Amino acid sequence: MLIGQQIGPFEVESELGSGAMGTVYRAKFRRSAEKVVPVALKVVALGLLGNEGAMARFDREANILKQLKHPHIVRLIAYGKINKATPYIAMEFIDGEALDRVLARRGKLGWEEVVSYGKQLAEALQYAHDKGIIHRDLKPSNLMITKDGVLKLTDFGIAKDTDVTALTGANSTIGTAAYMSPEQCKGDRNLGNKSDLYSLGIVFFELLTGRKPFTAETTVEMFLKHVNEKAPRIGKQVNDLPPKFESLILQLLEKDKEDRPVDASWVARMLGEIEEDAFARKSAGLAAAQARTAKPTNQSGDRMDAADRDAARALRGKKKKTKKKVVLPLFQQKWVHAVGILAILLAIVFGAYLMLRTAGPEQMFAAIDRADTPAAKADAAGKFLDTYGAKGGELVDKATTIFREATVRERERQLTNRHDSRTLRKPIESDDPDAFDNAMQAIDAEKSGDFALAEAMWRKVKSRFPAEADLPFTTNEQLLAKARWGWVADKRLADVKGARAELAKLHEKIKDSRLHELPLKPDTTNPESLAIRTLRLKEFGDPEKAGRTCDVLVTLAEKESERRAWFLLGTHLRSTIPKGANDPVAVRRQRITEWLNSTDRTAKQVRDEPEHPERGVLMRTVRNRCRDVAELYEDETDEKVKEEVVRAAKIVEALPKKQ
Ligand code: ATP
Ligand code: MG
């Protein structure tokens, strides 16, 4: 224990707490002969920094962190090594509490408070990101709140080995894993700013609900959830949570970093907007509250309760009354009557103003939102564009997008119906016969998984009326009949492109999962999982089961326009799977047995040759090969195959412990 000791310029006073990296003490730091400042002294646990590389990184990071000077980042005051061995960092002492303790005390926080902390935090992050520093370990225990409600971010990635191996090893902390981004979980060494944004999303989730989005027994299980599992929605659990805040959190928690917000300052801006919206709503509420001063009631007609009154008072900038004077009840005072009548009149005028105001574009736009089929949406958006289209502006842009999307959706539906029906498969009067014919061929190509042909055919469709296709929108019927050919073709070309990109990603994902030994459990409701499984089964040499899996994918994705890329990927995969043998069960059994026999031989080699130079690689190969059998066949009912799945597990068990 260091308490009471003098270590270099520090006099250690008391322990503040400890975490994964060591212990934090409150200490007095003698800056100069006459200047003594309180500091939080973090002494890094010895075991963690045993190697040269880690020490060098500690120095390098501490050096960078010294340059971070921001109102919402805990200042690094000094760093070094006690007795030339134990690294320490001395930080500005924060007289306050870490948010994990606040949570422990209060369960959860109100959304307004979270927005306020969130803004400060996002600003701090942007500042660090601009300097190329990623925090890597955002979590409530690293967020200190001063007595005045000011947030201070601490523990920037210093001396942290947040890589997967360090965490899955002896010092594993599920606490830290709970906040890690999917890319961090996968062991990506080039973490970007967006990794912090994901963790920020988890922190918001926890502060608002008092729970973490994912719970797990082990670190690895937690990693898998970050990578694969969707976070639960929180809207219903949090009182009055603005939908905008919820969608911000969902966006922060996107698995693919490309889908997350562009940067922390964008997040800060959004939070600012959320706050402003709420303020505007409250102010509107206040006008109504004032109108009711004569007899305070709330919306449901009951008398205003204490909370309502407090809110209204706070908005008017008045303090809560503490002393009680003997006065007439408010509603019996004459001046109140006068003010009340005036306020009611004002409220009526205000209401009329609101009604008149919303009778404009906003109200018409709202009708688009309310329409629930593509055809109705296209219709409502068309009406809006007819009236306001020429004006331009944000609403017009939005309406244009909706109009095009809905028109395309409706058109896709018609074309599919005609394609699938023998009697309807001919152009109707308003259809251009060439475009129709090419579209039918394109759909044929899509169904048979021929990407190149599908693309060629859609391009032909598009080139039929290029000028009309370039129109952002049109509600003129004749023009529209031509333009939408190009719009549909554009959408379908994008789908094929998406399918190609997805395919490349899937190969990467499988490779990655082998390298980091991340299991790929089947999820028969998820197109990506089905596609991965198809690829693996094909690679394993089981065309029959690969084909079946692929069929599930195709059926799942077929009906939905948004899943078109997955449908295309499915038909494409199906076209690459060779025809299965006549007796697939026998072939399967034999294939698995041979696979495991050869795996077992490698396992034996690992056991017999402890000095083998490629031992680590061999062990990984064995584990991955056994995983293939376990993951691809655990749903099998065939007795022989079941036995082999058990054998695969045994082979892994008999391996020496993971290195
Ligand atoms: P991790 O090691 O992953 O960051 P942790 O945040 O739980 O985990 P520490 O960083 O060691 O653990 O911090 C332990 C406790 O020390 C914190 O929870 C906080 O209460 C206190 N603490 C940390 N930094 C300061 C500071 N600058 N001023 C005052 N107290 C601090
Ligand atoms: Mg900490």
Side-chain angles (χ1 to χ4, degrees):
M1 277 279 109
L2 301 171
I3 293 166
Q5 286 190 36
Q6 182 78 36
I7 304 172
F10 302 104
E11 186 189 324
V12 182
E13 294 177 318
S14 59
E15 188 177 318
L16 289 168
S18 56
M21 298 295 143
T23 309
V24 181
Y25 300 94
R26 188 193 153 106
K28 278 196 187 124
F29 173 47
R30 186 166 291 282
R31 272 216 126 125
S32 58
E34 59 279 3
K35 201 162 177 209
V36 176
V37 291
V39 293
L41 183 69
K42 184 167 206 167
V43 180
V44 179
L46 260 181
L48 284 168
L49 287 164
N51 65 61
E52 285 296 314
M55 285 297 223
R57 190 162 61 244
F58 175 82
D59 282 345
R60 204 171 52 238
E61 291 196 343
N63 241 325
I64 301 171
L65 296 184
K66 262 197 101 167
Q67 297 156 24
L68 290 182
K69 293 176 189 164
H70 188 272
H72 298 302
I73 296 177
V74 173
R75 288 274 291 129
L76 181 75
I77 291 177
Y79 71 94
K81 286 172 198 117
I82 301 170
N83 301 329
K84 298 202 176 118
T86 313
Y88 71 81
I89 53 173
M91 304 166 263
E92 168 192 12
F93 173 76
I94 305 294
D95 191 9
E97 206 176 11
L99 273 181
D100 63 333
R101 296 196 196 165
V102 177
L103 271 183
R105 206 156 35 77
R106 291 170 47 193
K108 55 185 175 182
L109 310 183
W111 71 262
E112 283 103 330
E113 196 176 350
V114 179
V115 167
S116 149
Y117 295 152
K119 273 184 3 191
Q120 305 176 47
L121 182 50
E123 279 165 21
L125 283 176
Q126 186 64 45
Y127 169 84
H129 290 167
D130 284 342
K131 290 188 176 300
I133 300 171
I134 298 152
H135 188 286
R136 289 191 286 168
D137 193 19
L138 269 189
K139 54 183 175 181
S141 73
N142 286 337
L143 304 171
M144 303 282 308
I145 306 295
T146 70
K147 294 234 154 77
D148 302 320
V150 176
L151 176 138
K152 303 263 182 182
L153 172 57
T154 177
D155 274 340
F156 265 90
I158 192 145
K160 287 230 159 98
D161 246 322
T162 33
D163 75 15
V164 179
T165 36
L167 268 172
T168 43
N171 289 305
S172 99
T173 47
I174 193 119
T176 289
Y179 302 90
M180 280 169 54
S181 67
E183 58 269 38
Q184 221 171 347
C185 294
K186 288 187 201 157
D188 188 341
R189 281 174 189 277
N190 294 316
L191 287 184
N193 304 345
K194 293 200 175 185
S195 176
D196 278 348
L197 295 187
Y198 180 89
S199 309
L200 180 64
I202 306 262
V203 169
F204 283 159
F205 189 109
E206 187 179 12
L207 294 179
L208 289 166
T209 62
R211 290 181 303 106
K212 299 182 178 74
F214 306 117
T215 49
E217 297 281 321
T218 64
T219 318
V220 172
E221 193 193 332
M222 182 62 91
F223 287 170
L224 287 173
K225 290 195 169 177
H226 281 305
V227 174
N228 296 318
E229 202 169 285
K230 233 175 136 182
R233 304 280 304 234
I234 56 172
K236 291 213 178 69
Q237 302 166 39
V238 182
N239 247 350
D240 298 332
L241 181 70
K244 220 175 182 174
F245 196 5
E246 183 176 20
S247 51
L248 173 64
I249 294 172
L250 287 176
Q251 216 182 330
L252 290 166
L253 291 179
E254 282 289 353
K255 308 283 178 209
D256 184 346
K257 54 180 185 286
E258 298 305 323
D259 296 331
R260 288 176 216 148
V262 55
D263 58 16
S265 62
W266 188 89
V267 176
R269 264 201 315 282
M270 276 304 283
L271 291 168
E273 273 182 45
I274 291 166
E275 211 165 46
E276 274 165 27
D277 290 352
F279 185 75
R281 264 200 317 278
K282 276 197 184 157
S283 308
L286 177 62
Q290 280 171 334
R292 295 189 304 253
T293 321
K295 187 176 181 187
T297 54
N298 61 19
Q299 274 159 342
S300 52
D302 306 328
R303 283 180 69 93
M304 275 177 98
D305 64 15
D308 280 349
R309 275 198 299 272
D310 282 350
R313 215 177 281 123
L315 278 165
R316 276 177 259 148
K318 287 188 183 162
K319 290 230 172 79
K320 192 174 172 176
K321 277 188 218 148
T322 42
K323 282 185 218 156
K324 271 194 179 168
K325 287 187 203 156
V326 186
V327 285
L328 273 177
L330 208 52
F331 55 87
Q332 288 179 19
Q333 294 180 17
K334 278 207 180 115
W335 65 271
V336 171
H337 287 235
V339 170
I341 290 165
L342 194 66
I344 289 167
L345 283 175
L346 272 176
I348 291 170
V349 172
F350 185 63
Y353 159 74
L354 275 184
M355 274 177 68
L356 285 174
R357 198 180 61 115
T358 47
E362 283 87 358
Q363 198 180 39
M364 248 179 129
F365 190 84
I368 309 178
D369 266 346
R370 282 197 303 273
D372 51 5
T373 64
K377 262 201 192 315
D379 196 42
K383 282 201 181 105
F384 177 91
L385 290 171
D386 272 340
T387 319
Y388 297 104
K391 285 209 173 103
E394 202 184 332
L395 281 186
V396 170
D397 289 348
K398 275 192 194 154
T400 304
T401 312
I402 296 174
F403 179 73
R404 273 185 74 140
E405 263 174 25
T407 306
V408 167
R409 186 76 57 85
E410 178 61 12
R411 186 66 178 148
E412 278 185 298
R413 196 183 59 78
Q414 291 170 359
L415 289 176
T416 312
N417 284 348
R418 298 227 200 106
H419 176 273
D420 293 351
S421 144
R422 221 174 285 159
T423 46
L424 291 175
R425 194 171 167 155
K426 48 182 178 288
I428 52 168
E429 277 166 43
S430 60
D431 278 338
D432 177 77
D434 287 346
F436 183 85
D437 202 39
N438 288 331
M440 291 300 124
Q441 288 180 46
I443 299 175
D444 281 337
E446 286 180 350
K447 290 219 164 184
S448 60
D450 190 337
F451 284 168
L453 184 60
E455 280 171 329
M457 284 302 145
W458 284 123
R459 276 202 202 98
K460 268 194 170 175
V461 173
K462 193 180 169 187
S463 63
R464 189 77 186 91
F465 304 107
E468 287 83 354
D470 269 350
L471 291 171
F473 73 88
T474 172
T475 50
N476 172 306
E477 245 171 72
Q478 271 137 26
L479 280 179
L480 184 62
K482 292 180 178 171
R484 63 185 184 184
W485 280 118
W487 299 352
V488 169
D490 271 341
K491 147 88 168 50
R492 302 291 268 241
L493 282 168
D495 286 340
V496 179
K497 201 168 158 201
R500 283 187 192 278
E502 232 19 278
L503 186 60
K505 263 205 250 167
L506 292 183
H507 284 296
E508 279 302 306
K509 207 164 179 171
I510 295 176
K511 224 167 69 194
D512 250 24
S513 90
R514 296 237 147 91
L515 198 60
H516 303 299
E517 297 185 46
L518 296 170
L520 292 165
K521 290 256 178 191
D523 174 355
T524 49
T525 58
N526 175 318
E528 185 187 43
S529 170
L530 286 163
I532 287 183
R533 206 165 163 72
T534 305
L535 278 171
R536 289 178 73 194
L537 281 161
K538 185 184 143 198
E539 218 174 279
F540 189 85
D542 193 339
E544 192 270 339
K545 192 165 177 170
R548 258 189 291 140
T549 311
C550 194
D551 285 344
V552 179
L553 167 64
V554 171
T555 323
L556 182 78
E558 189 165 23
K559 295 279 172 268
E560 292 174 46
S561 166
E562 305 95 276
R563 285 182 162 175
R564 195 73 199 165
W566 286 111
F567 168 78
L568 294 175
L569 187 61
T571 55
H572 177 73
L573 287 179
R574 194 158 59 186
S575 76
T576 64
I577 297 169
K579 222 179 122 22
N582 286 336
D583 188 353
V585 179
V587 174
R588 176 171 307 132
R589 287 176 179 167
Q590 196 190 345
R591 174 92 184 110
I592 300 176
T593 305
E594 278 168 11
W595 180 268
L596 285 184
N597 287 348
S598 113
T599 311
D600 206 15
R601 281 195 294 277
T602 314
K604 187 167 179 311
Q605 194 186 1
V606 169
R607 287 193 299 270
D608 292 350
E609 300 173 39
E611 300 306 327
H612 194 290
E614 294 289 307
R615 199 157 186 259
V617 177
L618 290 181
M619 279 172 54
R620 188 164 70 207
T621 309
V622 171
R623 285 191 298 266
N624 272 327
R625 287 177 66 105
C626 288
R627 239 184 66 193
D628 280 339
V629 173
E631 286 174 5
L632 296 176
Y633 293 103
E634 67 186 357
D635 57 344
E636 214 56 37
T637 47
D638 182 67
E639 282 306 323
K640 174 73 187 142
V641 174
K642 275 179 157 172
E643 277 167 30
E644 294 293 48
V645 169
V646 174
R647 176 153 80 110
K650 284 195 179 139
I651 295 177
V652 172
E653 262 169 41
L655 276 182
K657 281 273 158 278
K658 205 169 176 176
Q659 286 176 328

